[in-house]
Amino acid sequence: METEWDWLGPPLDVRPLFPVERGALVELLSGLDSADWSRGTGCPGWSVRDVAAHVLHDQIRRLSAGRDGHPGGVFGAGETVAEFVNRTNEEFVRTARQFSPRLVAGLLADLGAQLDDFWAVRDLTAPAGTGVSWAVPEGRSPAWLDIAREYTEFWVHQQQIRDAVGRPGAAEPALLRPVLDTFLRALPLTLRHAPAAAGAVVRVGVPGPAGGRWTAVRGPRRWALAESGAQAAAEVEVEADCLWRLATRGITPDEARGRTTARGDMALVAAVLEIVSIVR
């Protein structure tokens, strides 16, 4: 049955991965010393403690609003979505600096399990209560994409903590591939202004066990993620580590360009490398 979101590609169900990803995070945090908790991260101005607290804030916000129907924060006058998110995130992180590391890790484990229960009963094909603006800028988004977006949020923040303390992990294909797959749901929006005739094909390939191939086709109204046997107007091959960092702006498009292999229409290649899969 066709749905309004077919152009985003087939639905994902990442819900079984949350306990696995969270277990790796809690285990990591439980083994850090006080110096580790104070280390700076790739999030400007935030330490390991702050990033962990931000993940906790996400859990609290989701449970309060989605499960309990609590209205939450209020937009300031003239505040954009990005400005609202940045302000409320900073306010919570500042408050959470009073929490002990043990308390943060314990709350992450407990509230994460409650969030699992909440999402377990969600209809993945129903509209989401929260939109995914980096893939669907106007209108509603499917619940499966909203939940997958939240999984990527948790996974990326764990990687930022791991980068900060020099402890790689949680990057096995079963955990990483859904992150890449979710981020590439932004491809149709990323290409929206790229000049291309109807039927044009763009392919993004990611080598390795966590990778795969994603194809975007230019339709009469918009680009769509769909299978196509047609020759690609542009092809981009990018390593998994480079792709997720690019999509979250851990690296810039210029930095990513030196780590990719590209063929075909360079204007389309350049458009692909502008992909952003976070709210900014």
Side-chain angles (χ1 to χ4, degrees), residues 177-224:
R177 192 179 195 284
V179 174
L180 307 178
D181 196 0
T182 302
F183 283 165
L184 284 165
R185 304 310 172 108
L187 197 55
L189 181 64
T190 303
L191 293 169
R192 68 193 182 283
H193 298 312
V201 171
V202 171
R203 289 197 178 90
V204 177
V206 180
R213 300 192 74 80
W214 288 261
T215 302
V217 181
R218 183 68 171 92
R221 293 181 53 234
R222 58 160 65 99
W223 288 86

Side-chain angles (χ1 to χ4, degrees), residues 33-213:
D33 59 27
S34 58
D36 289 329
W37 279 84
S38 298
R39 296 187 192 282
T41 69
C43 294
W46 281 6
S47 66
V48 166
R49 178 195 304 274
D50 295 335
V51 173
H54 171 59
V55 175
L56 178 61
H57 182 214
D58 275 347
Q59 293 178 340
I60 291 171
R61 178 174 52 83
R62 283 296 188 149
L63 288 168
S64 294
R67 185 191 66 184
D68 304 335
H70 187 69
V74 177
F75 277 76
E79 200 170 42
T80 67
V81 171
E83 289 168 344
F84 169 79
V85 169
N86 290 335
R87 174 178 60 82
T88 54
N89 284 343
E90 191 63 41
E91 288 171 352
F92 185 90
V93 163
R94 192 179 303 119
T95 298
R97 287 171 183 156
Q98 303 173 68
F99 302 170
S100 71
R102 179 179 177 182
L103 180 62
V104 171
L107 287 171
L108 285 169
D110 181 56
L111 295 183
Q114 293 185 46
L115 198 52
D116 293 344
D117 292 340
F118 168 60
W119 277 328
V121 297
R122 291 295 307 278
D123 178 358
L124 296 182
T125 62
T130 303
V132 183
S133 60
W134 48 258
V136 188
E138 297 178 357
R140 56 189 187 173
S141 305
W144 64 262
L145 182 59
D146 177 37
I147 294 171
R149 179 262 308 275
E150 203 68 7
Y151 172 74
T152 68
E153 175 92 357
F154 295 164
W155 185 90
V156 166
H157 287 315
Q158 178 173 172
Q159 295 306 312
Q160 291 168 338
I161 292 172
R162 289 183 178 277
D163 284 350
V165 299
R167 301 188 191 184
E172 54 266 35
L175 293 178
L176 175 54
R177 192 179 195 284
V179 174
L180 307 178
D181 196 0
T182 302
F183 283 165
L184 284 165
R185 304 310 172 108
L187 197 55
L189 181 64
T190 303
L191 293 169
R192 68 193 182 283
H193 298 312
V201 171
V202 171
R203 289 197 178 90
V204 177
V206 180
R213 300 192 74 80

Side-chain angles (χ1 to χ4, degrees), residues 254-266:
D254 283 343
E255 290 171 323
R257 190 169 288 109
R259 299 169 59 180
T260 61
T261 302
R263 294 175 291 276
D265 186 329
M266 289 299 108

